[in-house]
């Protein structure tokens, strides 16, 4: 169900982009324009036993549904809240004898809701779920084959006593999921755990340099302003990460979302020179640059393989060697250099080699700050990680300054009530206290820190995952 703020927006026809949403009043950075609960949502296949099917929080111990043995919940409250949406699913799973994939489960949940409420506009929705973009006509051969397989399985799973929908309608709902499935993250916002359909959010168009961001918090999404938005201005979010040359971003958007991006950053190739920046003095030849890009791509492939096998020392070796070569050719904003810095600082932090990691993390943040929008959520998260790494390395001044910077960004992108923002606030207070101590008596500060570390090792970084940060929309790569 939608939970408010819809009077702040109106649907209009956006030039060259079809429908869009525009602001009906002025907004400032950190304002919540609207909040919306999912029309329907499911947990990913790989996490069905560790994530609550109602609130999407990761929990150690979950209760499972006694009937189908498939659905898992935090407690009785979550189980009770789920029953309306789980009731049909529960008996369908028992009848079918197995659990279909997440796409089929989501399509069925959408259609059971349509069966209950009709396919028209539900309360607080600006668009009906079956009227969202579906692009089925643009599917390539591979996607069509997958769609046919999903529809066939769906028909076996869908109970005979439920309302029978036409093949065309079923295909359309799968298309809607493919184009509008929004990634749900766990309570800390660090791992993608499920996919949901949010009809109002589905009306917000893409821009590579958007004026809004979306965050999933406490069972709902919030559309938040990144800066001043004037009355009548179109609201936009970025469907993909900005950190790529415009040509590559356009290809990704065409492949995954079936449209040609005409945003200013793509049309004018803004920041492309920085993304592919090379040293000025002496300027390397085009041939040398081309070779270095190829070497970087090859190294990134080797790194992915080593990471997936858990060979983290091998990853560090590959990164060091690649960085050594890149540094003679690439400028500090070059995306191939930044990818290497990001990987090596994350893996070294995990291996608790904080001193070395902290230097790489600082260089990464310096590069990111020249590229990202100042209120970009991914920038905020990267600065937070770099701040933690520097703090662990004993660079208290740099660590504190980065944690403050990250906190300021996350107040805009995540808001003060998000668990990550609360964590950051606690870290900011902790580092501020340490910094005061450091300024009063540096020698005593180091002595106390040493004692504290010997007694109680500081929290260790999470194991680096091969997964990128949760993307906004759930897409097959």
């Amino acid at each position: 169900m939608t939970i408010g703020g819809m009077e702040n927006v109106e649907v209009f026809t956006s030039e060259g982009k079809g429908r869009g949403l525009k602001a009906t009043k002025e907004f400032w950075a950190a304002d919540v324009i609207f909040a919306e609960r999912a029309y329907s949502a499911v947990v990913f296949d790989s996490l069905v036993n560790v994530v609550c099917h109602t609130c999407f929080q990761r929990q150690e111990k979950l209760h499972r549904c006694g009937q189908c043995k498939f659905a898992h919940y935090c407690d009785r409250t979550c189980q009770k809240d789920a029953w309306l949406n789980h009731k049909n699913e529960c008996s369908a799973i028992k009848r079918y004898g197995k659990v279909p994939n997440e796409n089929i489960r989501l399509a069925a949940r959408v259609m059971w809701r349509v069966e209950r409420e009709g396919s028209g506009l539900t309360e607080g929705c600006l668009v009906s779920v079956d009227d969202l973009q579906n692009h089925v006509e643009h599917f390539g051969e591979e996607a069509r084959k997958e769609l046919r397989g999903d529809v066939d399985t769906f028909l076996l799973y869908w109970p005979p006593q439920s309302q029978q929908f036409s093949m065309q309608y079923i295909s359309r709902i799968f298309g809607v999921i493919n184009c509008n499935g929004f990634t749900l993250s766990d309570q800390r916002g660090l791992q993608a755990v499920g996919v949901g359909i949010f009809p109002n959010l589905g009306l917000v168009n893409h821009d590579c340099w958007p004026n809004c961001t979306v965050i999933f918090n406490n069972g709902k999404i919030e559309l938040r302003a990144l800066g001043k938005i004037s009355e009548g201005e179109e609201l936009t979010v970025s469907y993909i990460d900005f950190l790529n040359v415009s040509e590559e971003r356009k290809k990704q958007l065409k492949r995954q979302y079936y449209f040609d991006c005409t945003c200013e950053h793509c049309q004018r190739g803004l920041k492309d020179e920085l993304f592919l920046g090379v040293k000025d003095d002496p300027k390397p030849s085009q041939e040398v640059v081309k070779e270095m890009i190829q070497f970087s791509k090859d190294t990134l492939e080797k790194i992915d393989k080593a990471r997936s096998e858990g060979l983290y020392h091998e990853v560090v070796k590959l990164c060091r060697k690649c960085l050594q070569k890149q540094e003679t050719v690439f400028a500090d904003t070059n995306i191939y250099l930044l990818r290497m810095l990001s990987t090596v600082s994350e893996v070294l932090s995990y291996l608790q080699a904080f001193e070395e990691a902290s230097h790489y993390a600082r260089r990464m943040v310096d590069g990111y700050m020249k590229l990202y929008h100042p209120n970009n959520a991914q920038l905020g998260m990267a600065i937070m990680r770099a701040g933690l790494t520097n703090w662990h390395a004993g660079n208290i001044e740099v660590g504190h300054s980065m944690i403050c910077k990250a906190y300021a960004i996350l107040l805009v992108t995540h808001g003060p009530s998000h668990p990550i923002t609360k964590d950051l606030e606690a870290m900011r207070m902790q580092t501020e206290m340490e910094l005061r101590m450091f300024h009063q008596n540096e020698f005593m500060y180091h002595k106390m820190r040493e004692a504290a570390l010997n007694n109680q090792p500081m929290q260790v970084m999470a194991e680096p995952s091969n997964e990128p940060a949760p993307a906004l929309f759930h897409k097959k790569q």
Side-chain angles (χ1 to χ4, degrees):
M1 283 309 290
T2 303
I3 52 174
M6 298 328 298
E7 68 287 349
N8 294 333
V9 296
E10 67 182 18
V11 184
F12 78 117
T13 304
S14 175
E15 203 172 330
K17 294 198 265 188
R19 284 176 310 200
L21 283 189
K22 63 180 178 184
T24 56
K25 61 182 233 195
E26 190 174 76
F27 291 101
W28 294 88
D31 282 348
V32 176
I33 298 168
F34 69 76
E36 181 180 20
R37 291 202 186 280
Y39 182 85
S40 299
V42 294
V43 174
F44 287 149
D45 295 338
S46 55
L47 299 170
V48 291
N49 300 334
V50 291
V51 171
C52 172
H53 291 214
T54 300
C55 68
F56 294 90
Q57 297 203 12
R58 277 190 81 106
Q59 303 285 0
E60 284 304 309
K61 269 189 133 71
L62 292 169
H63 299 268
R64 69 177 184 174
C65 169
Q67 299 280 314
C68 64
K69 311 278 192 284
F70 161 69
H72 286 71
Y73 304 105
C74 298
D75 50 31
R76 294 271 171 251
T77 311
C78 278
Q79 188 161 4
K80 210 162 88 237
D81 290 350
W83 186 239
L84 181 64
N85 290 308
H86 177 56
K87 189 166 68 171
N88 297 103
E89 176 182 75
C90 190
S91 55
I93 287 170
K94 282 192 296 184
R95 190 188 71 88
Y96 183 51
K98 47 185 186 267
V99 179
N101 71 35
E102 62 217 25
N103 262 2
I104 295 164
R105 288 188 286 118
L106 183 54
R109 280 186 166 226
V110 167
M111 282 183 260
W112 277 314
R113 183 151 179 192
V114 168
E115 178 182 38
R116 278 200 314 272
E117 299 173 4
S119 66
L121 289 180
T122 47
E123 190 195 342
C125 280
L126 301 168
V127 60
S128 63
V129 67
D130 50 14
D131 193 24
L132 287 166
Q133 281 282 19
N134 66 72
H135 287 298
V136 171
E137 71 280 7
H138 296 134
F139 278 21
E141 195 37 56
E142 195 52 43
R144 273 167 204 252
K145 207 168 122 189
E146 212 169 297
L147 174 68
R148 281 196 296 270
D150 277 349
V151 171
D152 287 347
T153 307
F154 175 88
L155 292 169
L156 296 171
Y157 172 62
W158 188 251
Q161 70 275 20
S162 287
Q163 182 183 336
Q164 296 305 304
F165 293 96
S166 69
M167 290 288 274
Q168 193 186 358
Y169 189 84
I170 297 167
S171 298
R172 189 196 311 172
I173 295 297
F174 275 105
V176 163
I177 289 168
N178 183 59
C179 290
N180 301 275
F182 179 82
T183 307
L184 307 180
S185 47
D186 62 0
Q187 61 270 41
R188 307 191 40 77
L190 298 177
Q191 188 192 12
V193 295
V195 55
I197 297 292
F198 297 82
N200 296 330
L201 178 63
L203 292 171
V204 180
N205 283 317
H206 165 85
D207 194 297
C208 291
W209 196 263
N211 55 16
C212 294
T213 188
V214 189
I215 191 71
F216 183 66
N217 183 18
N218 199 14
K220 62 186 186 305
I221 60 105
E222 291 175 347
L223 185 73
R224 305 178 67 90
L226 293 177
K228 181 178 181 293
I229 296 173
S230 307
E231 183 181 338
E233 197 179 323
E234 177 167 15
L235 302 167
T236 54
V237 294
S238 180
Y239 295 175
I240 59 172
D241 183 20
F242 176 64
L243 229 58
N244 220 333
V245 288
S246 53
E247 211 39 58
E248 288 301 320
R249 289 199 309 270
K250 284 166 86 162
K251 274 189 207 157
Q252 188 185 349
L253 288 162
K254 185 73 173 168
R255 187 176 71 246
Q256 294 184 345
Y257 299 94
Y258 312 101
F259 70 84
D260 298 299
C261 188
T262 56
C263 81
E264 190 189 12
H265 274 68
C266 281
Q267 282 191 321
R268 294 174 51 198
L270 299 177
K271 306 235 177 191
D272 280 1
E273 263 182 47
L274 288 173
F275 283 141
L276 296 176
V278 294
K279 288 269 189 245
D280 261 345
D281 192 23
K283 207 175 177 68
S285 69
Q286 277 184 312
E287 197 48 48
V288 166
V289 172
K290 217 169 122 181
E291 275 174 22
M292 189 51 69
I293 288 176
Q294 196 48 56
F295 176 71
S296 303
K297 285 179 174 173
D298 294 344
T299 304
L300 282 165
E301 272 185 32
K302 287 179 190 163
I303 285 170
D304 280 347
K305 188 173 183 304
R307 270 177 98 146
S308 66
E309 292 166 13
L311 304 170
Y312 297 124
H313 290 282
E314 180 60 25
V315 171
V316 172
K317 239 177 11 200
L318 286 164
C319 288
R320 282 193 194 123
K321 185 179 158 198
C322 189
L323 280 163
Q324 218 175 353
K325 293 194 170 193
Q326 286 178 336
E327 277 154 5
T328 59
V329 179
F330 291 155
D332 60 356
T333 56
N334 186 290
I335 44 176
Y336 293 104
L337 180 82
L338 288 170
R339 280 172 196 160
M340 227 34 84
L341 289 171
S342 165
T343 302
V344 76
S345 60
E346 185 192 357
V347 173
L348 282 167
S349 291
Y350 172 66
L351 297 172
Q352 298 194 33
F354 295 117
E355 187 53 46
E356 188 185 354
S358 68
H359 299 297
Y360 292 129
R362 255 187 270 188
R363 288 173 56 196
M364 172 190 78
V365 165
D366 288 344
Y368 281 179
M369 303 255 305
K370 293 173 187 161
L371 297 169
Y372 274 120
H373 183 290
N375 280 335
N376 179 289
Q378 271 147 315
L379 173 66
M381 297 294 282
I383 298 175
M384 175 179 86
R385 284 194 294 270
L388 264 173
T389 298
N390 274 277
W391 178 37
H392 282 296
N395 308 327
I396 184 67
E397 289 173 295
V398 177
H400 177 67
S401 145
M402 283 182 171
I403 283 166
C404 287
K405 211 170 263 160
Y407 181 63
I409 296 173
L410 262 59
L411 276 177
V412 172
T413 59
H414 290 57
S417 73
H418 195 285
I420 289 196
T421 318
K422 287 179 171 170
D423 280 357
L424 251 182
E425 189 175 19
M427 283 177 223
R428 191 180 59 120
M429 286 158 74
Q430 168 78 17
T431 52
E432 198 168 305
M433 190 179 71
E434 288 186 22
L435 192 58
R436 271 205 303 273
M437 236 161 73
F438 176 77
H439 284 148
Q440 279 161 7
N441 187 332
E442 209 173 312
F443 176 75
M444 274 310 288
Y445 164 75
H446 285 298
K447 275 270 169 259
M448 282 183 65
R449 185 185 164 84
E450 219 170 291
L453 282 174
N454 287 339
N455 283 335
Q456 180 223 336
M458 282 186 167
Q459 120 204 27
V460 179
M461 299 283 179
E463 182 167 356
S465 85
N466 222 4
E467 303 280 312
L472 189 60
F473 287 97
H474 174 52
K475 285 279 155 193
K476 293 209 162 45
Q477 293 306 312

